[in-house]
Amino acid sequence: SQTIHQWPATLVQPVGSPLSLECTVEGTSNPNLYWYRQAAGRGLQLLFYSVGIGQISSEVPQNLSASRPQDRQFILSSKKLLLSDSGFYLCAWRDKEKAGNTIYFGEGSWLTVV
Amino acid sequence: GDSVTQMEGPVTLSEEAFLTINCTYTATGYPSLFWYVQYPGEGLQLLLKATKADDKGSNKGFEATYRKETTSFHLEKGSVQVSDSAVYFCALRQDGQNFVFGPGTRLSVLP
């Protein structure tokens, strides 16, 4: 069966510090991968998605970046965090071969920028 | 572009009450429709889905019917429990495109 894990689960970072959130998927190959952000009490905002290794599409301009160094690994980064980067970050994957298929989410990472 | 609208809540119900969370969508074509649930501090989990008109998705006592004529996918449950307290997201996806999520509806069930 397929699983998705992201870490760390919780982190508190000072303004201006770097960020690295990592996500890995097991039990599937060549998935579509996604990073979403959920600000407190708000809906989901798609940040980045990737259809393959090294292929990243950005949905919103900001000081975050994403990379996909391996087929089932997706990394969210920042060189200098802002207060507004605080939120709940969700990694997700989808099997692109299946029509009408489901997106599966990781457990989420709580980021507090202080 | 495609969009999903749902009642934002919060919705507060007593245990065993009937639940309806409305969801309507705007889309060109015929998307698949989904309901996801997010329990406190967790990621989203698929609750149910429907891939074509008149399909009914069901899971854990929840149901939703894909109504093409009213572009709706309302979520219902006959008798809610305290453990159903969560945020519920309606979503759609067209082939070849990314998911579009609604803003989420927070449900609180009181004992």
Side-chain angles (χ1 to χ4, degrees):
Chain A
S1 64
Q2 300 89 2
T3 59
I4 178 170
H5 295 293
Q6 59 177 107
W7 67 94
T10 306
L11 66 166
V12 179
Q13 296 283 99
V15 169
S17 65
L19 171 73
S20 180
L21 298 179
E22 190 165 340
C23 172
T24 59
V25 181
E26 299 293 334
T28 187
S29 61
N30 195 28
N32 281 1
L33 296 172
Y34 306 83
W35 278 111
Y36 286 85
R37 176 169 60 201
Q38 187 178 23
R42 303 286 296 277
L44 293 169
Q45 180 186 36
L46 178 62
L47 301 176
F48 301 94
Y49 69 94
S50 171
V51 299
I53 296 174
Q55 300 178 64
I56 308 295
S57 296
S58 174
E59 289 293 298
V60 289
Q62 56 201 311
N63 70 319
L64 298 172
S65 62
S67 61
R68 184 171 178 174
Q70 300 181 45
D71 180 45
R72 291 167 293 163
Q73 183 184 28
F74 205 25
I75 297 171
L76 183 69
S77 304
S78 174
K79 292 182 179 178
K80 289 186 177 182
L81 285 168
L82 306 173
L83 285 174
S84 57
D85 292 324
S86 294
F88 191 49
Y89 289 82
L90 290 159
C91 182
W93 74 274
R94 186 177 68 80
D95 184 340
K96 63 167 70 75
E97 303 301 323
K98 293 182 180 179
N101 55 332
T102 302
I103 189 169
Y104 298 94
F105 288 85
E107 309 94 329
S109 298
W110 284 102
L111 169 64
T112 302
V113 182
V114 295
Chain B
D2 297 348
S3 66
V4 175
T5 302
Q6 59 179 112
M7 50 197 293
E8 293 200 23
V11 174
T12 303
L13 296 173
S14 298
E15 206 164 23
E16 299 184 2
F18 185 86
L19 168 71
T20 299
I21 299 179
N22 289 339
C23 170
T24 56
Y25 67 91
T26 301
T28 55
Y30 304 98
S32 295
L33 301 175
F34 304 78
W35 276 101
Y36 280 81
V37 58
Q38 184 180 31
Y39 297 104
E42 299 183 8
L44 278 70
Q45 304 172 27
L46 176 67
L47 181 59
L48 53 85
K49 71 177 185 180
T51 57
K52 61 182 188 297
D54 299 326
D55 269 2
K56 177 186 284 188
S58 60
N59 185 26
K60 300 181 181 180
F62 291 89
E63 292 183 340
T65 301
Y66 189 141
R67 300 287 188 201
K68 178 168 164 287
E69 63 277 12
T70 54
T71 61
S72 65
F73 194 53
H74 304 322
L75 183 68
E76 296 182 336
K77 186 175 185 183
S79 176
V80 293
Q81 305 300 313
V82 172
S83 57
D84 293 326
S85 298
V87 181
Y88 292 82
F89 291 89
C90 186
L92 68 81
R93 197 186 81 84
Q94 306 242 39
D95 284 345
Q97 299 184 25
N98 288 324
F99 271 72
V100 176
F101 287 89
T105 299
R106 182 175 298 279
L107 170 66
S108 294
V109 181
L110 305 177

